[in-house]
Amino acid sequence: MKAVIAKQAGGPEVLQLVDIDQPVALEGEVKIRVKAFGLNKAESYYRSGNYGEFVPDQALGIEAVGEIAEDSSGTFNVGQKVATAMGGMMFTRHGGYAEYITVNANNVVAIDSNLSYEKLAALPEAYLTVWGALDKNLEIAEGESLLVRGATSSIGLTAVIYAKTRGLTVIATTRNPNSVDKLKTMGADHVVIDDGNIHEKVKAIVPEGVNNAIEVVGAATLKDTLKAVRAWGQVVVVGLLSGPPVLESFNLMGDLPNTVKLSFFSSGLLGSEALPLKESPLNSIADQVTSGVIPNTIGRTFNIEDIQEAHRLLDSGTANGKIVVSL
C-alpha cells in the first residue's frame, strides 16, 4: 500500500510517499481503507521531531475517514463509511497518511451521512476536540459568552461554529484584518484583532469578561486570555500554535485571576472510557454540514502525491481553514 512516512525528522521535504505492507488488524481492531484525511499541527510538530517519540517508517496522521475493510468482531459492516481519530495513530501505529490503517474499534465512528469523504475529512479531529473541550471541560450552556483565541486555525474555526450552534455569544480573535469577514460568516458575533494584548478589547465588548475561553494559540497568549475571563469563568487550552506548552515564571497569584479555572484538553482521550466516541455529535455535525446549517471549513485540498506542498501550507499557517488530503 502507499503511505507517507519520514525517515528522519525535519521539514516538509522529509515526507516520502512509499510502498509498504498493509497492517494486520489485531483483536479489538478494525482495518480501514482510507479515502481522505485532514492535516493537524500535531503532525507538523511530530514531523519536525518536536512532539513525542519519532518513529521512522511509520505513517503520519492522527485522523482519517474511509470505509471498513475488515472487522472480525462484527461491530461494523465491510464498506461502512467511518471516521477515526487518535487512539495511538502516528505514535504507536500507522497514522492516517496511508491507504490502509488498523485502529482500535473504540476510536471509530460509523457515519450515516452521505457527506463526501473530502468534506467529512475536515471534521473528526477538529470537532471531536472542540466537543471534548467545550462540552466536557467547560460545560458550555446557551446564553453564555465564549472567547476563541486563535480563531482562524482549523480548531478555532470549528470552535466558533460549534459554539454558535449551541447558542453562545462568540468573540473570535485573529491577527489578520482580512479574516474578519470570514469569521463573521462562520458565526462570530464579534472579531478582535489580536496584537498579543486583547483582554481590554474583549472587556470593551463584555465589561465583566467572558464566561469561558478556548485557547488555541497556547502559552504565548494564555496569561492575556485569562485576564479576559470573568470571576468564576474558565479557560481551556487546546492548541500549540505558538510552540511548546511551557509557561515561564507563571505566578499562580498574579497571573491566574482569582476564581478563574484553567484546564487543558488533549484529544488523546478520544475513544477512552473517559470520552467514548459513541457519545460524540459527529454524525449530527456531518448531517448539518450536508444540509448547509454548518459551514464547510476546508481551506485547501491536495492529493496525497502533493503531501510536501500540503505540509508547507500547514507550516505557513495561511490555509485559513482545514487542509484535507485525498487518496
Side-chain angles (χ1 to χ4, degrees):
M1 70 171 185
K2 293 188 181 302
V4 174
I5 65 166
K7 295 283 188 182
Q8 60 188 30
E13 70 279 357
V14 303
L15 298 175
Q16 302 177 44
L17 182 61
V18 299
D19 287 312
I20 61 175
D21 294 335
Q22 289 188 26
V24 176
L26 305 177
E27 185 177 354
E29 298 179 343
V30 299
K31 179 183 282 191
I32 298 172
R33 180 184 179 188
V34 176
K35 296 289 189 177
F37 55 85
L39 299 194
N40 301 278
K41 289 297 290 186
E43 294 144 14
S44 174
Y45 292 136
Y46 176 84
R47 184 210 70 219
S48 303
N50 296 313
Y51 187 33
E53 181 180 352
F54 186 82
V55 184
D57 300 325
Q58 188 161 276
L60 282 72
I62 59 173
E63 65 177 323
V65 299
E67 62 184 29
I68 295 293
E70 295 178 19
D71 179 14
S72 60
S73 72
T75 304
F76 301 95
N77 297 320
V78 173
Q80 168 73 57
K81 181 186 289 187
V82 293
T84 185
M86 297 304 290
M89 293 170 64
M90 186 170 76
F91 298 101
T92 61
R93 63 176 70 237
H94 284 306
Y97 294 18
E99 286 186 294
Y100 289 90
I101 55 174
T102 57
V103 296
N104 295 320
N106 290 338
N107 284 84
V108 180
V109 179
I111 302 296
D112 300 322
S113 169
N114 60 5
L115 189 66
S116 70
Y117 283 111
E118 184 178 275
K119 290 182 178 179
L120 182 62
L123 306 183
E125 178 67 17
Y127 273 98
L128 291 173
T129 297
V130 167
W131 163 63
L134 298 189
D135 280 339
K136 301 299 184 179
N137 276 62
L138 299 183
E139 298 182 320
I140 58 172
E142 184 177 355
E144 292 182 339
S145 53
L146 177 74
L147 171 64
V148 181
R149 191 77 183 257
T152 54
S153 65
S154 61
I155 292 289
L157 285 174
T158 302
V160 169
I161 295 166
Y162 188 70
K164 199 59 192 172
T165 65
R166 295 289 307 278
L168 278 72
T169 297
V170 179
I171 302 173
T173 75
T174 177
R175 293 177 297 173
N176 185 358
N178 294 327
S179 298
V180 172
D181 289 342
K182 178 171 184 176
L183 286 170
K184 288 186 174 180
T185 299
M186 292 292 177
D189 297 285
H190 307 276
V191 179
V192 171
I193 303 303
D194 196 339
D195 58 3
N197 186 14
I198 56 94
H199 70 275
E200 292 182 353
K201 299 176 185 178
V202 172
K203 287 192 172 180
I205 300 168
V206 186
E208 67 274 28
V210 293
N211 295 104
N212 296 297
I214 181 169
E215 175 60 79
V216 187
V217 178
T221 56
L222 178 59
K223 292 180 183 180
D224 184 55
T225 295
L226 287 165
K227 295 177 183 178
V229 179
R230 69 181 63 182
W232 309 107
Q234 301 181 85
V235 177
V236 61
V237 180
V238 298
L240 306 172
L241 295 180
S242 62
V246 178
L247 284 171
E248 299 290 344
S249 302
F250 186 76
N251 185 330
L252 287 174
M253 293 184 67
D255 296 322
L256 183 61
N258 191 19
T259 75
V260 172
K261 305 175 189 70
L262 174 62
S263 62
F264 179 76
F265 177 78
S266 168
S267 57
L269 278 179
L270 297 174
S272 68
E273 291 184 3
L275 199 61
L277 295 191
K278 63 183 179 181
E279 297 179 2
S280 79
L282 200 57
N283 263 292
S284 173
I285 289 163
D287 287 340
Q288 291 178 78
V289 174
T290 301
S291 65
V293 173
I294 287 181
N296 176 17
T297 60
I298 294 177
R300 183 89 180 272
T301 59
F302 292 87
N303 293 320
I304 195 169
E305 291 80 8
D306 301 316
I307 191 65
Q308 292 186 8
E309 183 183 353
H311 262 246
R312 279 190 284 271
L313 179 60
L314 177 66
D315 286 354
S316 76
T318 60
N320 208 21
K322 187 77 171 183
I323 302 171
V324 170
V325 177
S326 296
L327 277 73

